[in-house]
Amino acid sequence: NGNHLDENSNDDVKGFWVEDKEMKFFPKGIETFFPNLIAVGFKDTGMMTVTKEDLKPFGENLVYFSVLDTNIDYIEKDLFIYNPNLECIGFYNNKIKFIHPNAFDNLLKLDSLWLTDNKCIDRKTDNREDVESLIGAIKEQCGLEFLTKEIKMMLEAALD
């Protein structure tokens, strides 16, 4: 609402959260108002896509990112290429059918990854040791093979 505690300003804001506001796409320019964000999250927004260009302005400062209960159906190649310091990522309760095999590459600090309640995967972890295992499961369950199976099932159902 623009009001800050005590002598704080937009420069002191570390987190940005949007809930129950209809927005199909990632809002542009957040970082111009809040230049020191380390956490960005969205819940129940209807957002349909997130791109690496959307996340680029947050750069290496971004530590926490989540998009919950929305309409995301894929995670693109190199999504987090500009955000190597991410520690926590949440994409639970979306409609994810495809995750590019390198979407989570080079995130050496990632220790919490939540992908529960999605079409191709329903798993989460809160420890670094299990992140690699979960990424392996993503590569098996959410690659092109999964999409091919889903398309085949849709075609078979349409022909019945």
Side-chain angles (χ1 to χ4, degrees):
N1 65 9
N3 296 323
H4 298 284
L5 299 174
D6 302 324
E7 300 296 318
N8 293 326
S9 69
N10 284 1
D11 290 344
D12 299 305
V13 175
K14 300 295 183 197
F16 182 83
W17 180 259
V18 176
E19 186 170 345
D20 295 327
K21 299 287 181 196
E22 188 65 27
M23 52 181 13
K24 298 289 183 200
F25 302 100
F26 199 95
K28 305 292 184 205
I30 298 168
E31 76 289 347
T32 60
F33 294 101
F34 308 111
N36 298 311
L37 291 176
I38 62 171
V40 175
F42 302 91
K43 184 175 193 276
D44 289 323
T45 62
M47 191 178 298
M48 298 173 69
T49 185
V50 176
T51 69
K52 61 183 158 246
E53 294 305 314
D54 293 330
L55 299 179
K56 184 177 182 179
F58 305 105
E60 294 183 3
N61 291 337
L62 196 61
V63 174
Y64 173 91
F65 179 73
S66 65
V67 180
L68 319 172
D69 301 313
T70 65
N71 294 318
I72 302 291
D73 64 356
Y74 71 95
I75 297 177
E76 73 175 18
K77 177 181 180 181
D78 296 325
L79 179 59
F80 303 107
I81 193 78
Y82 303 112
N83 318 107
N85 294 318
L86 277 164
E87 296 174 14
C88 179
I89 297 172
F91 276 102
Y92 57 84
N93 200 23
N94 279 281
K95 298 174 181 173
I96 297 172
K97 300 177 197 171
F98 175 76
I99 300 175
H100 193 278
N102 82 341
F104 301 103
D105 284 1
N106 302 314
L107 295 177
L108 303 178
K109 296 180 180 181
L110 186 63
D111 61 12
S112 185
L113 180 56
W114 286 44
L115 296 164
T116 51
D117 296 320
N118 282 286
K119 291 192 184 251
C120 70
I121 195 155
D122 185 14
R123 260 180 80 181
K124 67 178 181 178
T125 184
D126 285 316
N127 71 62
R128 180 68 196 156
E129 293 78 34
D130 290 339
V131 166
E132 292 303 319
S133 171
L134 179 49
I135 289 172
I138 290 166
K139 290 178 180 180
E140 288 178 15
Q141 295 173 230
C142 298
L144 291 176
E145 298 80 21
F146 178 83
L147 282 181
T148 303
K149 288 178 193 172
E150 185 173 270
I151 291 168
K152 183 179 177 186
M153 289 187 320
M154 288 178 1
L155 286 173
E156 288 172 349
L159 295 174
D160 283 344

